[in-house]
Amino acid sequence: NAGVTQTPKFRILKIGQSMTLQCAQDMNHNYMYWYRQDPGMGLKLIYYSVGAGITDKGEVPNGYNVSRSTTEDFPLRLELAAPSQTSVYFCASSYATGGRSQPQHFGDGTRLSIL
Amino acid sequence: DQQVKQNSPSLSVQEGRISILNCDYTNSMFDYFLWYKKYPAEGPTFLISISSIKDKNEDGRFTVFLNKSAKHLSLHIVPSQPGDSAVYFCAARYKGGSEKLVFGKGTKLTVNP
């Protein structure tokens, strides 16, 4: 009964390094999302996916890339880490079809610091 | 420009009393509203939602009210319990089935024993 699993939980990167934040869900949800939450702010959508092979930009996509090769996995890639990308990253998933949808389920987040 | 606003960063209430958390929105293209609850070091968890065609939805101790003309919604928790202490996020979904959510900044609720 894992739900949405994010790894790692914490990471410190140096400026210019790259990394991939992993997200996996076991609920057979078709939609998956990546959000970032900066201190004192709400969650902002980075990228989302409506199914395997289909991704689209959210509100703050610059500096990030995603892929969705399977229903279960939705990794987020940072190519050239910048201090402005220091944040807590949340992955979420949900099921929606035919105009009916369920609330998004969230993972516990990855806390990322860029120094 | 914030489309979903939670103007109170924090709220403190006594155990057993009512907690009222407020949320305002500016975009008429939202058709569905949700409240999420978040504990430290955990992800947000869904609490309750309301469609724009309704003005009230109730689930146990939690009730959400929607005033479309004022573009305002509120979450009532009665009675409040210490375990309700968390950050509460209001979120809104656009019409048209995009499933994308816009979140407010959150209100930190503290329920004192």
Side-chain angles (χ1 to χ4, degrees):
Chain A
N1 198 20
V4 178
T5 302
Q6 292 184 237
T7 56
K9 294 190 184 304
F10 306 94
R11 184 73 184 268
I12 298 174
L13 282 182
K14 293 183 179 179
I15 296 171
Q17 287 185 320
S18 61
M19 79 162 293
T20 299
L21 283 65
Q22 301 291 345
C23 176
Q25 55 93 7
D26 62 359
M27 297 173 283
N28 203 30
H29 286 169
N30 50 349
Y31 280 74
M32 294 189 76
Y33 316 81
W34 274 105
Y35 294 90
R36 60 177 286 176
Q37 185 191 15
D38 299 330
M41 302 296 287
L43 283 73
K44 291 186 184 295
L45 183 65
I46 304 171
Y47 270 96
Y48 69 103
S49 169
V50 303
I54 306 170
T55 62
D56 207 348
K57 295 177 180 179
E59 183 182 356
V60 289
N62 291 343
Y64 306 96
N65 281 301
V66 294
S67 60
R68 182 100 181 267
S69 57
T70 67
T71 300
E72 295 79 18
D73 300 297
F74 191 39
L76 178 71
R77 178 83 177 164
L78 282 72
E79 290 294 350
L80 288 170
S84 61
Q85 294 177 305
T86 293
S87 191
V88 181
Y89 291 83
F90 290 101
C91 179
S93 71
S94 68
Y95 185 77
T97 185
R100 301 179 69 85
S101 64
Q102 299 172 357
Q104 294 178 23
H105 293 251
F106 285 80
D108 284 340
T110 294
R111 186 176 296 275
L112 181 62
S113 294
I114 315 292
L115 305 177
Chain B
D1 186 26
Q2 277 188 274
Q3 299 185 72
V4 177
K5 301 177 184 179
Q6 294 178 257
N7 292 319
S8 299
S10 63
L11 174 68
S12 182
V13 299
Q14 287 299 121
E15 180 179 5
R17 305 294 292 267
I18 185 171
S19 296
I20 300 177
L21 294 90
N22 294 303
C23 178
D24 298 294
Y25 62 97
T26 59
N27 197 327
S28 300
M29 295 302 292
F30 293 137
D31 71 344
Y32 196 73
F33 303 89
L34 307 92
W35 285 92
Y36 280 83
K37 175 180 179 180
K38 185 182 179 306
Y39 293 118
E42 294 183 8
T45 55
F46 169 71
L47 190 59
I48 193 169
S49 61
I50 187 166
S51 166
S52 60
I53 63 173
K54 296 187 176 181
D55 55 18
K56 177 183 176 181
N57 189 27
E58 197 170 352
D59 184 2
R61 296 186 297 114
F62 304 91
T63 303
V64 56
F65 296 92
L66 175 62
N67 182 333
K68 282 182 65 177
S69 61
K71 293 189 174 65
H72 176 83
L73 60 155
S74 60
L75 174 68
H76 293 212
I77 306 174
V78 184
S80 301
Q81 299 173 354
D84 296 329
S85 297
V87 177
Y88 289 79
F89 290 99
C90 173
R93 189 187 73 185
Y94 291 102
K95 292 178 186 176
S98 76
E99 301 302 316
K100 292 190 289 186
L101 296 180
V102 178
F103 282 82
K105 291 184 178 182
T107 297
K108 183 176 182 180
L109 173 67
T110 303
V111 181
N112 301 302

